[in-house]
Amino acid sequence: MKEIALKDEFLAAGRIVGTHGVRGEVRVEPWCDQPSFLAGIGVWHLDGQPRTVESARVHRRLVLAKLAGIDDIPAAQAQRGKTVFIRRDGVRLPEGRFFIQDILGLVVLDEASGATVGTLADVWPGRQDIYVVTDGMGAQHLIPNVPAFVKGIDWRRGAIMVSLIEGM
């Protein structure tokens, strides 16, 4: 295995799902661990263009945001369905944290045997994320992202180290 390089200047961070109020606010479904993370980013990118976030707040599991230049319901409605991107270099993550986009496609190895379990195909978010690992024969393994099963990421090797139990 070779060392992986972090990719993509922009990261998909959410999707605009509707409008809020009459002054052009949009409702955004965040694709982050916490909606407050996205609400704290000052510039979002829509359709490859930067948009200053004039204000943003968390409402339930959504982010309500007012973007520069979007000042009424029709302008906000025109944004519906668009993906919100953020610049990777504009975000600092705490030690040991990473973007899901950076781990998709990594090989998953059994820590004890070194055997290849498969490739990380998807991450299902939840209280404990579930790693969806597919092997070369179409089988799917669901591995909870908890310390008992996911032992760590070896960025140099481009691998996720796991500890499996019988039947997993």
Side-chain angles (χ1 to χ4, degrees):
M1 284 175 266
K2 61 182 179 186
E3 183 171 343
I4 64 164
L6 299 182
K7 52 196 180 286
D8 302 329
E9 176 182 0
F10 294 95
L11 301 163
R15 181 173 46 98
I16 297 175
V17 296
T19 65
H20 180 78
V22 296
R23 295 200 170 116
E25 282 188 306
V26 293
R27 292 183 308 128
V28 180
E29 172 190 50
W31 298 337
C32 313
D33 287 348
Q34 299 294 323
S36 58
F37 176 81
L38 183 59
I41 305 288
V43 177
W44 296 351
H45 293 261
L46 304 175
D47 296 329
Q49 299 299 314
R51 290 280 187 165
T52 299
V53 179
E54 293 179 352
S55 66
R57 65 191 183 283
V58 175
H59 179 69
R60 298 185 182 144
R61 290 284 306 149
L62 297 176
V63 174
L64 304 179
K66 172 65 179 80
L67 303 175
I70 300 174
D71 299 315
D72 56 27
I73 294 172
Q77 185 63 32
Q79 307 310 307
R80 186 182 190 128
K82 291 184 179 180
T83 300
V84 172
F85 290 89
I86 59 174
R87 289 182 63 93
R88 176 188 297 277
D89 62 8
V91 178
R92 298 287 177 248
L93 294 177
E95 183 69 30
R97 302 292 292 178
F98 50 84
F99 295 109
I100 290 175
Q101 179 174 321
D102 292 336
I103 64 172
L104 292 175
L106 292 184
V107 66
V108 177
L109 301 176
D110 184 319
E111 184 179 56
S113 69
T116 299
V117 177
T119 303
L120 184 65
D122 199 2
V123 176
W124 295 344
R127 183 161 281 165
Q128 281 101 23
D129 292 345
I130 303 294
Y131 286 2
V132 180
V133 180
T134 56
D135 65 18
M137 296 184 250
Q140 192 176 71
H141 306 277
L142 304 178
I143 303 173
N145 182 18
V146 295
F149 301 121
V150 178
K151 298 303 183 179
I153 299 175
D154 183 337
W155 292 106
R156 186 184 56 74
R157 294 172 64 190
I160 299 171
M161 308 305 293
V162 298
S163 177
L164 303 178
I165 59 173
E166 187 69 34
M168 184 175 269

